[in-house]
Amino acid sequence: MADTMKLHYTVDADDFTVAGEASGAVKKVLKQLGFSSDIIRKVAVAMYECEINMVIHADGGVIDVEITPEKIRMIHSDKGPGIKDIEKAMQEGFSTADEKVRELGFGAGMGLPNMKRYTDEMNITTKIGEGTVVDMTVYVK
Amino acid sequence: MKLSEVKEILNAEVVAGEEFLDREVKSAFGSDLMSDVLAFVKDQALLLTGLVNGQVIRTAEMMDIKAIVFVRGKKPTEDIAELAKEYQMVVMTTDYTLYPSCGKLYCAGLVPNEERVD
């Protein structure tokens, strides 16, 4: 489709100083494309939380973003340890993050709930020892 | 409320964005937990926090927060201040702790539109 814009980012492992750069970059692109601030915020927050998760839990990974006038899809793929219990991970307050992460103001078990809160569709595919794919879509109404 | 008023009420020191003190904020949010900032902040808010690191600035950028007050006398390092300047944010630091900082601003009329979470 001609009006699909595709972006690709790599998230580095264990580097908190750059966590948020990919979501920041996408935010800028969406602003230039003229999306409403409401839509931009939803995408930016969902991506940012996911990016932080990739740094915390999964030694980084890759993000593919597809932008059309109708929707923005973000696919986050990592080769991390996988999520043992997705239902538990979706509960607000449940976290397996360590002290280092908490000192940064994260790791309070709000990551996945926040991603769900800000997106219209969210699918998690995970396999223990192989990795996780978080596929999120925000529709432009 | 104008940021210059916030500065005065909290007896704060401006560490970045001195030129933007004319800006208005319509509400405020006090938290050390950045995920809650991502979950609950609404438009044009002022962020009050005792957490000092680069992720505070990045979180603020995601939420279009243009002003941050570091409470409890916390001072951001040079690289954090630089990141804030890059995003054209106003950053202040006050010796008041979080509760009195919020209380003083609330009493002065900076009342949030929504006081409870959905």
Side-chain angles (χ1 to χ4, degrees):
Chain A
M1 221 165 78
D3 56 357
T4 302
M5 183 182 214
K6 288 186 179 178
L7 304 166
H8 181 82
Y9 300 94
T10 303
V11 179
D12 289 330
D14 260 336
D15 189 352
F16 284 106
T17 55
V18 297
E21 281 196 346
S23 27
V26 169
K27 192 176 175 212
K28 214 176 261 176
V29 170
L30 293 177
K31 219 176 228 176
Q32 281 163 356
L33 290 172
F35 284 94
S36 74
S37 59
D38 187 41
I39 296 291
I40 295 173
R41 182 174 304 177
K42 283 169 143 185
V43 171
V45 172
M47 246 188 103
Y48 183 46
E49 286 279 18
C50 207
E51 216 179 315
I52 296 270
N53 266 5
M54 288 169 111
V55 176
I56 295 173
H57 299 290
D59 296 327
V62 293
I63 307 173
D64 286 287
V65 184
E66 294 170 16
I67 305 167
T68 71
E70 293 81 32
K71 65 180 183 186
I72 297 125
R73 185 176 175 199
M74 305 149 263
I75 307 161
H76 299 69
S77 318
D78 69 58
K79 291 188 166 48
I83 303 170
K84 258 189 213 146
D85 187 339
I86 293 185
E87 211 175 299
K88 222 172 182 182
M90 288 304 299
Q91 283 171 15
E92 289 192 0
F94 178 81
S95 176
T96 58
D98 62 16
E99 200 49 42
K100 196 174 92 189
V101 176
R102 288 171 206 261
E103 278 168 16
L104 290 166
F106 293 93
M110 291 294 287
L112 287 170
N114 265 355
M115 290 175 222
K116 197 169 174 61
R117 187 191 303 262
Y118 282 106
T119 57
D120 298 305
E121 254 176 56
M122 175 174 163
N123 291 300
I124 303 174
T125 320
T126 187
K127 210 161 188 193
I128 298 298
E130 288 184 23
T132 300
V133 176
V134 180
D135 185 345
M136 300 182 284
T137 303
V138 171
Y139 289 101
V140 183
K141 275 156 229 141
Chain B
M1 181 182 284
K2 270 205 167 74
L3 289 174
S4 52
E5 284 174 71
V6 172
K7 178 186 182 239
E8 206 159 298
I9 291 164
L10 297 180
N11 199 12
E13 181 195 329
V14 178
V15 290
E18 182 91 53
E19 66 272 40
F20 304 121
L21 287 179
D22 271 356
R23 256 184 218 155
E24 289 271 346
V25 281
K26 296 198 169 145
S27 68
F29 192 80
S31 177
D32 285 356
L33 182 57
M34 291 304 112
S35 278
D36 273 357
V37 174
L38 291 171
F40 303 123
V41 167
K42 308 279 191 250
D43 265 342
Q44 288 177 286
L46 169 74
L47 174 63
L48 296 108
T49 184
L51 185 75
V52 187
N53 60 50
Q55 292 309 320
V56 174
I57 309 294
R58 291 201 191 276
T59 300
E61 158 66 8
M62 294 305 155
M63 301 310 285
D64 299 315
I65 291 170
K66 288 293 184 193
I68 302 167
V69 176
F70 288 112
V71 298
R72 305 194 282 272
K74 310 266 178 158
K75 284 202 173 65
T77 54
E78 195 52 46
D79 53 326
I80 295 173
E82 278 308 312
L83 188 61
K85 280 177 196 163
E86 215 175 282
Y87 290 132
Q88 304 197 320
M89 285 174 193
V90 175
V91 175
M92 301 181 219
T93 170
T94 177
D95 286 338
Y96 288 111
T97 54
L98 183 57
Y99 180 66
S101 298
C102 295
K104 280 171 186 291
L105 295 176
Y106 198 106
C107 286
L110 186 58
V111 179
N113 292 329
E114 290 167 68
E115 302 193 347
R116 300 171 69 129
V117 299
D118 300 333

